[in-house]
Amino acid sequence: MREFWSLVRRDLLLARRQGGAATSVAIFFILTVTLFPLGVGPESALLGRIASGVIWVAALLATMLSLDRVYQSDLEDGSLDVIAMAPMPLELVALAKTLAHWLTTGLLLVVLSPLLGVLMQLDTAAFGPLVLAMALGTPALSLLGSIGAALTVSVRRGGVLLSLLVIPFYIPVLIFGVGAVDAAVDGISARPHLLILGAILLFSLVISPLASAAALRLNLE
Amino acid sequence: MREFWSLVRRDLLLARRQGGAATSVAIFFILTVTLFPLGVGPESALLGRIASGVIWVAALLATMLSLDRVYQSDLEDGSLDVIAMAPMPLELVALAKTLAHWLTTGLLLVVLSPLLGVLMQLDTAAFGPLVLAMALGTPALSLLGSIGAALTVSVRRGGVLLSLLVIPFYIPVLIFGVGAVDAAVDGISARPHLLILGAILLFSLVISPLASAAALRLNLE
Amino acid sequence: MTRATPDDSNKSFHAEDLVCIRGERLVFSGLSFEVGAGTATLLRGPNGAGKSSLLRLVAGLLRPAAGQLRWGSESVDRDREAHRRKVRYVGHLDAIKPVLSVGENLAAWAGIYGGRAADAPVASALDTMGLSGLADLPARFLSAGQRRRLNLARLLLDPGTLWLLDEPTVSLDSDSVNRLEQAIKHHLAAGGSALIATHTDLHLENAAVLALAPARPAIDADA
Amino acid sequence: MTRATPDDSNKSFHAEDLVCIRGERLVFSGLSFEVGAGTATLLRGPNGAGKSSLLRLVAGLLRPAAGQLRWGSESVDRDREAHRRKVRYVGHLDAIKPVLSVGENLAAWAGIYGGRAADAPVASALDTMGLSGLADLPARFLSAGQRRRLNLARLLLDPGTLWLLDEPTVSLDSDSVNRLEQAIKHHLAAGGSALIATHTDLHLENAAVLALAPARPAIDADA
Amino acid sequence: MAAMHRFANPTRFVRLSSALLPWFVVAMIGFFAAGLYLGLFVSPPDYQQGDSVRIMYVHVPAATLASGVYVVMAVASAVALIWRHPLADVAAKAAAPVGAIFTLIALITGALWGQPTWGTWWVWDARLTSVLIMLFLYLGYMGLWQAFDDQRRAARAAAILALVGAVNLPIIKFSVDWWNTLHQPASILRAGGPTIHPDLLTPLGLMWGGFLCFFAAVLIIRMQREIVLQRIRALQTLQVATEMPVPQEA
Ligand code: HEM
Ligand SMILES: Nc1ncnc2c1ncn2[C@@H]1O[C@H](COP(=O)(O)OP(=O)(O)OP(=O)(O)O)[C@@H](O)[C@H]1O
Ligand SMILES: Nc1ncnc2c1ncn2[C@@H]1O[C@H](COP(=O)(O)OP(=O)(O)OP(=O)(O)O)[C@@H](O)[C@H]1O
Ligand SMILES: [Mg+2]
Ligand SMILES: [Mg+2]
């Protein structure tokens, strides 16, 4: 496990140094959401109705756009060869890198989501469920995204193929994430949505390391 | 000018070979737009109201995401050194690469926008202005984006920083692009918006090659 | 977790009837050789003969289309993790992060390799490759030769048993080539072994030469 | 558009009092040298001495912190485009697109370089570097040495006047090194010139040597 | 050569499938002819929708087979990954474009049908949304195949994706249904879904049979072509081996 945490620490250090990757994800998230009042018009009733959807779509996009960081640069400069030969299973490598990805993107999205709720005139009653849903949903996004990132890692400029692969898998997270917030807005319990999000998270936690490791193995050849 | 067209042709060839970069941009555009109904719900009236905004935001994102293709891979493999030493001014190089970028992304967005109008339940009266506004707006997006791409080209994984730089410049295009469509929906003339979009395009056409070339020069050092 | 020190695996490494196919083209076939403990084998052959491919095969990064890799009589496939703990691969690519300093780059590898490497003094590895003055320099400022030296310094953190070096002398000045030769000799003297692809000369006594020619490999034992 | 053929610029290239600063560190200063028409200069020095930096300076990809570059008596800054038309730079990086075939890679450069290069038979350039059999192979399948040969073949499309080669022999097998030497000699015989950074030996008669040592460069004239 | 070994089994497949192919083609022509005749000329027009109801004879079989083909693909991928059966990859690769085309036909005929019946080309109904997502899954799968030039690696990557997709498919379907019932249902669809008249059932069944035979025939043709290509590649592999120059240096 020492190697596992070393790898996580390394990826965090790299993210911090690489032009503040984490802050850029945060700013991308905020900017995408602020584009909407500009695009859709400022009526607060309309904004409030689409708030949960817009925030979640922006979270999906922000996660997806940062996915190529997970494996790609390590493959390109040969680091992935060296990591793959380290004395730990490739499944653990994938998990460590996914964890580091979540810590530098998803975690920030969780923290920032109330702020965006304010910007989008979201009902204050829904802030709690929004944060909770984000806390359960974003790790699932990182885990599912890791599979796509690993599959396309040796494909030059695979970024857009990556989004094509990943978006269908993101749809359930989007739907139940939005569902949790909308339930709270409508005054019903968000619990069922949150439970389903939890189930999706557990499910991704099981398949992601396996599928990512298998994908990495074939891409190293 | 022979060199100019050779460079455009080369970039088009590369785009075609690189896993169908152009089709992937198209797919990304469609995917992003489909996420919104899933996020905000399927009611046609609501969707129709936010349609123009969503389509334009998706166009912005699709353009932005493909921007790193313009210079980055050429810098990373040393091709940009060789191109910069070719017997043509760097301004022309920037223009050629931007043109190739538009032909493989913006042009597709123009063609696809009516289809997305259908998906988003947009008023059919607005289809004409939507296509026109896209035809004027997307070249401006490529030109303005080229400046950002050139500025961030030597930053590893500069993708998100790039979006930070570029989004503020994209906002006028977004506002008048959406304005043109909404005017048509409301039954007023879209002409003033289209004229302003044309002016933005001309303006970008003048400053983009100059600024991009200066930024490239900086980054080659 | 057992550690691979030269002692606990005093067996020679064998390859038998290896076939390598890349991009659906046959690179070599029927290749057999042995790398004994304490010995080095130089891999030679024209461009495209398959030297890099062979090294990646032995490293476990590529799977052979046919053939076997063994430590003594035990097949590598039986325990791939043990194999990984024994081999150290330095390829054409640098595995250097430009945003980290020279010292941080090496420290990161030391952590990830765990075991002995985690406690290995990064400073002494840098020193051996003549990089001690540059430890705090961001790696993006390194020249081609300095980058390669940093990459080679990784070997010294935890030397493992079998070194797989792909053109290690590229971009190195003559002083650095000497340092590399010393490091290899030291590794061999400690019971390690090495398989080295190179187009230039490396001064190693008693090194076997494995000449690779597509589909017709041969082994002669001289320096 | 005037073309740079060896005839129309039968002047030697001069560098005077060059100062190079990279990443806010002084790499070298007060460096002066001359590369006459028909001659080659070998650039030597330990790793990090500034060979690659000097070549990028001369190529115009870096600006010197101080000092002057001249063709005969005419400063390079007066007409940078003419200078670009005269120099040909082959650096550490490959400038090879993995998705294009070997032939397409070279053809793309020929088009972009316009003038003489556009009409130059790509096939003959490939042949000279021993790549003729590989013209239709996607470049991503190339081995390290084959990639370098493809990169060098670019020089032959439109040779310009002054070749700037950064460690051109890296990864080349001995046969390819011969081909490269022949190509350089041919270029010199046609009135061209070359500035070549290398750690290995290149067999060129009458090549001057410019030895670079950080902040203390010196010129000796022998082979 | 060991590589040739792998094709012993495909050889048998080619023989068997070549024998079956004409039957599928004949059956397909028969089904289509009878189905189209009954559907276009014999069956009565719908009292509400008029003749546009006849689009159903193409729409419904295409829509049902669209997800059926994905199941075939996923099973083939599982076989390929677990047992490394050489035919399984070929089958999965051959099935994907057929499935994508069925999906596309369902979408296009659905949209053509929707215009006269609902007055709009598209609504975000749960079923339609699932079909759209299905199209994305197909496109991603085919894109991944294309992105690699080494067929062996492409096969493995695509198989991993197909399997992950298959286990995700129920979750996606479930979530889309949930999403649709959560919001007030798109009213037109509730009203518009016509119950199928027995007179329409016979031509529908015939057309369905025709589509199925079409799938089988195209699958066989594509698989055979893929096997031939694989053989050519294997031959080229060997040929390169013998043509390689033998270097002199030791
Ligand atoms: C783009 C638009 C459409 C799509 C993607 C679509 C999709 C589907 C799918 C997936 C099925 C198969 C359901 C199953 O497996 O049981 C289906 C069946 C059917 N569709 Fe559509 N459809 C579309 C438009 C329409 C329209 C406009 C109508 C007519 C008003 C229609 C009428 C039917 C009928 C009658 C069936 C068969 C009966 C049933 O299973 O309920 N569809 N469609
Ligand atoms: N990633 C790859 N995919 C497909 N084929 C490859 C790949 N890499 C190399 N090859 C092919 O395999 C053969 C052997 O390549 P390899 O890199 O092993 O040669 P090498 O002996 O290391 O040559 P060099 O001396 O030039 O480094 C070459 O003919 C090359 O075309
Ligand atoms: N991009 C850069 N930014 C800042 N400093 C750099 C950069 N590249 C190189 N340097 C520094 O400039 C000095 C000279 O580097 P250069 O690459 O010119 O050396 P070199 O003589 O080519 O060495 P080698 O033989 O290793 O290739 C080195 O000390 C290096 O630290
Ligand atoms: Mg090699
Ligand atoms: Mg150098």
Side-chain angles (χ1 to χ4, degrees):
Chain A
M1 285 314 279
R2 208 162 126 194
E3 294 88 359
F4 177 87
W5 291 112
S6 297
L7 184 52
V8 174
R9 263 201 312 278
R10 162 187 181 272
D11 274 20
L12 292 180
L13 179 65
L14 280 173
R16 210 166 61 226
R17 290 285 176 79
Q18 246 145 16
T23 47
S24 329
V25 168
I27 293 171
F28 174 85
F29 185 45
I30 297 174
L31 275 176
T32 314
V33 173
T34 42
L35 282 180
F36 274 90
L38 290 173
V40 171
E43 303 109 73
S44 54
L46 179 60
L47 283 182
R49 269 186 77 194
I50 64 171
S52 56
V54 169
I55 293 175
W56 268 100
V57 170
L60 251 62
L61 293 177
T63 310
M64 216 172 59
L65 294 189
S66 53
L67 278 178
D68 60 349
R69 221 174 51 211
V70 186
Y71 304 108
Q72 182 117 23
S73 64
D74 276 338
L75 182 94
E76 281 171 3
D77 68 8
S79 299
L80 203 57
D81 288 346
V82 183
I83 295 175
M85 296 185 64
M88 62 179 143
L90 212 48
E91 283 77 11
L92 224 51
V93 168
L95 199 59
K97 293 186 79 64
T98 311
L99 175 60
H101 177 257
W102 181 74
L103 289 173
T104 51
T105 57
L107 190 57
L108 263 146
L109 303 186
V110 176
V111 173
L112 284 174
S113 51
L115 172 67
L116 295 179
V118 172
L119 280 181
M120 292 292 293
Q121 323 273 359
L122 182 71
D123 192 333
T124 39
F127 279 29
L130 174 63
V131 173
L132 269 178
M134 281 270 170
L136 289 168
T138 50
L141 295 182
S142 289
L143 286 164
L144 292 170
S146 153
I147 304 176
L151 279 171
T152 56
V153 64
S154 71
V155 179
R156 289 285 309 169
R157 311 282 123 207
V160 192
L161 176 60
L162 174 58
S163 38
L164 178 58
L165 297 186
V166 159
I167 282 183
F169 300 144
Y170 277 6
I171 287 175
V173 179
L174 171 67
I175 287 174
F176 291 106
V178 172
V181 182
D182 286 356
V185 171
D186 297 345
I188 15 172
S189 163
R191 247 181 85 101
H193 296 96
L194 293 177
L195 285 179
I196 296 177
L197 278 179
I200 294 178
L201 173 55
L202 279 183
F203 166 78
S204 332
L205 199 57
V206 174
I207 62 159
S208 169
L210 295 174
S212 305
L216 285 179
R217 224 166 262 131
L218 77 95
N219 273 308
L220 283 173
E221 299 219 338
Chain B
M1 286 312 280
R2 206 162 129 194
E3 295 88 359
F4 178 87
W5 291 112
S6 295
L7 185 52
V8 174
R9 261 202 311 279
R10 162 187 182 270
D11 273 21
L12 292 180
L13 179 64
L14 281 174
R16 209 167 60 226
R17 290 287 175 77
Q18 247 143 19
T23 48
S24 334
V25 169
I27 290 169
F28 176 83
F29 187 43
I30 299 176
L31 280 174
T32 317
V33 172
T34 24
L35 283 181
F36 280 94
L38 291 170
V40 303
E43 299 100 69
S44 308
L46 178 61
L47 286 179
R49 274 186 71 194
I50 63 170
S52 57
V54 168
I55 293 175
W56 269 100
V57 170
L60 251 63
L61 292 177
T63 311
M64 223 168 57
L65 291 190
S66 52
L67 278 178
D68 62 348
R69 219 175 50 210
V70 186
Y71 304 110
Q72 180 113 26
S73 64
D74 277 338
L75 181 94
E76 281 172 2
D77 67 9
S79 298
L80 202 58
D81 288 346
V82 184
I83 294 175
M85 297 187 64
M88 61 179 143
L90 212 49
E91 284 76 13
L92 223 52
V93 168
L95 198 61
K97 293 185 79 64
T98 311
L99 176 60
H101 177 256
W102 181 75
L103 288 173
T104 51
T105 57
L107 190 57
L108 263 147
L109 302 186
V110 176
V111 173
L112 284 174
S113 50
L115 174 66
L116 295 178
V118 170
L119 282 183
M120 291 295 293
Q121 321 277 357
L122 182 70
D123 191 333
T124 37
F127 279 29
L130 174 64
V131 173
L132 270 179
M134 281 271 169
L136 289 168
T138 51
L141 294 182
S142 289
L143 286 164
L144 294 170
S146 154
I147 305 176
L151 277 171
T152 55
V153 64
S154 68
V155 181
R156 288 284 309 167
R157 310 281 124 210
V160 192
L161 176 61
L162 174 59
S163 33
L164 281 189
L165 287 178
V166 160
I167 284 185
F169 295 107
Y170 278 6
I171 286 177
V173 180
L174 173 68
I175 289 176
F176 292 104
V178 172
V181 182
D182 285 356
V185 171
D186 297 344
I188 17 174
S189 163
R191 246 181 85 102
H193 295 96
L194 293 177
L195 286 179
I196 297 178
L197 278 180
I200 294 178
L201 174 55
L202 280 182
F203 166 77
S204 344
L205 199 57
V206 174
I207 62 156
S208 168
L210 296 174
S212 305
L216 285 180
R217 229 167 255 128
L218 196 81
N219 274 310
L220 282 174
E221 298 226 333
Chain C
M1 207 182 262
T2 41
R3 265 186 219 160
T5 56
D7 331 87
D8 86 345
S9 61
N10 210 339
K11 305 167 186 159
S12 54
F13 179 81
H14 299 263
E16 250 166 50
D17 272 334
L18 286 185
V19 177
C20 173
I21 295 179
R22 300 200 72 177
E24 300 177 344
R25 286 148 31 93
L26 182 72
V27 179
F28 54 73
S29 66
L31 183 70
S32 306
F33 62 91
E34 175 186 347
V35 186
T39 71
T41 300
L42 294 181
L43 207 50
R44 296 197 168 270
N47 295 143
K51 302 179 293 299
S52 304
S53 305
L54 175 59
L55 290 174
R56 288 183 74 82
L57 267 176
V58 174
L61 293 167
L62 275 179
R63 295 289 166 103
Q68 251 215 344
L69 300 174
R70 289 187 283 106
W71 283 99
S73 60
E74 190 172 351
S75 164
V76 156
D77 289 323
R78 289 278 303 282
D79 186 354
R80 299 199 72 86
E81 197 155 331
H83 180 62
R84 278 213 291 267
R85 230 172 272 124
K86 285 189 199 129
V87 295
R88 294 290 175 271
Y89 169 71
V90 175
H92 281 303
L93 295 168
D94 274 333
I96 289 174
K97 292 292 167 189
V99 289
L100 301 185
S101 76
V102 170
E104 284 168 337
N105 261 292
L106 209 53
W109 290 131
I112 291 166
Y113 270 74
R116 197 149 63 135
D119 318 314
V122 165
S124 94
L126 286 177
D127 196 42
T128 310
M129 290 320 297
L131 288 170
S132 42
L134 303 175
D136 295 326
L137 194 74
R140 85 193 94 110
F141 290 165
L142 294 183
S143 76
Q146 290 162 343
R147 292 174 69 89
R148 185 130 278 260
R149 270 141 70 181
L150 173 53
N151 203 15
L152 290 168
R154 211 178 63 221
L155 289 171
L156 307 172
L157 292 175
D158 178 5
T161 307
L162 174 59
W163 285 7
L164 305 169
L165 310 183
D166 202 350
E167 304 195 41
T169 61
V170 158
S171 290
L172 292 185
D173 56 23
S174 54
D175 176 48
S176 309
V177 173
N178 278 337
R179 287 170 189 271
L180 174 65
E181 283 164 359
Q182 289 313 316
I184 296 175
K185 282 178 191 155
H186 191 260
H187 175 62
L188 298 181
S193 52
L195 184 58
I196 307 169
T198 179
H199 291 294
T200 62
D201 288 327
L202 264 182
H203 300 286
L204 299 172
E205 297 93 30
N206 306 322
V209 171
L210 175 62
L212 226 55
R216 204 151 65 76
I219 299 191
D220 354 354
D222 70 352
Chain D
M1 208 183 261
T2 42
R3 262 184 220 165
T5 56
D7 330 272
D8 85 344
S9 60
N10 210 339
K11 304 165 187 161
S12 55
F13 179 81
H14 299 262
E16 250 165 49
D17 272 334
L18 285 185
V19 177
C20 172
I21 296 179
R22 300 201 72 177
E24 299 176 344
R25 287 148 31 95
L26 181 72
V27 178
F28 54 74
S29 65
L31 182 70
S32 305
F33 62 90
E34 175 187 345
V35 186
T39 71
T41 300
L42 293 182
L43 206 51
R44 295 197 169 270
N47 294 142
K51 302 179 294 299
S52 303
S53 304
L54 176 59
L55 290 174
R56 288 183 74 83
L57 267 177
V58 174
L61 294 168
L62 273 181
R63 294 293 165 101
Q68 251 216 342
L69 300 173
R70 290 188 282 108
W71 283 99
S73 60
E74 190 171 353
S75 164
V76 156
D77 289 323
R78 291 277 304 282
D79 186 354
R80 299 198 70 87
E81 198 155 332
H83 179 61
R84 278 213 291 265
R85 229 172 274 124
K86 285 189 199 130
V87 296
R88 294 290 174 272
Y89 169 72
V90 175
H92 281 304
L93 294 168
D94 275 333
I96 289 174
K97 291 292 167 189
V99 290
L100 301 185
S101 76
V102 170
E104 284 168 338
N105 261 291
L106 209 53
W109 291 131
I112 291 166
Y113 270 74
R116 196 148 62 135
D119 319 314
V122 165
S124 92
L126 286 177
D127 197 43
T128 310
M129 289 319 296
L131 288 169
S132 43
L134 303 175
D136 295 326
L137 195 72
R140 78 195 138 237
F141 289 166
L142 295 183
S143 76
Q146 290 162 342
R147 293 173 68 88
R148 186 131 275 263
R149 271 142 70 183
L150 173 53
N151 202 16
L152 290 168
R154 212 179 60 221
L155 290 171
L156 307 172
L157 292 175
D158 179 5
T161 307
L162 173 59
W163 285 8
L164 305 169
L165 310 183
D166 202 350
E167 305 195 42
T169 60
V170 157
S171 290
L172 292 185
D173 57 22
S174 53
D175 176 49
S176 310
V177 173
N178 279 337
R179 286 171 190 270
L180 173 65
E181 283 165 358
Q182 290 312 318
I184 296 175
K185 283 178 191 156
H186 191 260
H187 174 62
L188 298 180
S193 52
L195 184 58
I196 307 170
T198 178
H199 292 294
T200 62
D201 289 327
L202 264 183
H203 301 285
L204 299 172
E205 296 93 30
N206 305 322
V209 170
L210 175 62
L212 229 55
R216 203 150 60 77
I219 299 190
D220 354 354
D222 69 354
Chain E
M1 186 71 214
M4 297 309 293
H5 235 100
R6 292 174 46 211
F7 300 113
N9 197 342
T11 305
R12 222 178 318 134
F13 166 81
V14 170
R15 218 176 330 116
L16 191 68
S17 63
S18 299
L20 283 175
L21 183 59
W23 297 102
F24 279 122
V25 174
V26 168
M28 179 185 79
I29 294 172
F31 277 130
F32 275 149
L36 285 175
Y37 175 73
L38 288 180
L40 294 183
F41 302 108
V42 178
S43 76
D46 190 78
Y47 73 99
Q48 264 182 338
Q49 305 181 35
D51 279 334
S52 69
V53 75
R54 300 186 200 281
I55 295 179
M56 179 179 75
Y57 301 126
V58 178
H59 172 78
V60 174
T64 46
L65 280 179
S67 39
V69 174
Y70 196 92
V71 174
V72 170
M73 215 176 76
V75 171
S77 299
V79 173
L81 266 191
I82 299 166
W83 291 287
R84 307 257 152 150
H85 195 288
L87 272 176
D89 279 329
V90 176
K93 185 185 185 186
V98 190
I101 298 231
F102 284 171
T103 315
L104 206 60
I105 291 178
L107 282 172
I108 291 172
T109 53
L112 289 176
W113 200 357
Q115 181 57 19
T117 39
W118 306 336
T120 171
W121 302 100
W122 181 263
V123 290
W124 288 95
D125 159 70
R127 213 162 48 180
L128 311 204
T129 309
S130 300
V131 174
L132 189 61
I133 295 171
M134 179 74 82
L135 181 67
F136 294 153
L137 283 172
Y138 276 121
L139 290 179
Y141 179 84
M142 286 156 61
L144 198 60
W145 261 105
Q146 254 193 355
F148 291 86
D149 27 54
D150 180 347
Q151 294 296 299
R152 208 175 41 84
R153 284 165 63 199
R156 267 181 37 220
I160 293 170
L161 180 71
L163 277 190
V164 175
V167 292
N168 261 292
L169 210 54
I171 305 178
I172 296 174
K173 188 110 181 60
F174 166 69
S175 67
V176 171
D177 287 340
W178 179 297
W179 163 75
N180 212 247
T181 47
L182 199 73
H183 300 267
Q184 62 271 47
S187 48
I188 8 177
L189 195 77
R190 271 295 158 83
T195 42
I196 294 180
H197 194 277
D199 273 358
L200 312 185
L201 222 49
T202 321
L204 194 60
L206 288 171
M207 288 301 286
W208 203 84
F211 267 80
L212 204 59
C213 292
F214 172 79
F215 172 60
V218 174
L219 191 69
I220 289 175
I221 292 170
R222 287 183 53 86
M223 281 178 74
Q224 289 187 349
R225 198 185 70 115
E226 194 60 37
I227 290 169
V228 170
L229 284 178
Q230 266 190 8
R231 282 186 178 148
I232 291 174
R233 284 196 296 263
L235 282 180
Q236 278 170 348
T237 305
L238 295 173
Q239 197 176 355
V240 168
T242 49
E243 273 177 6
M244 286 265 193
V246 179
Q248 313 78 0
E249 77 183 286

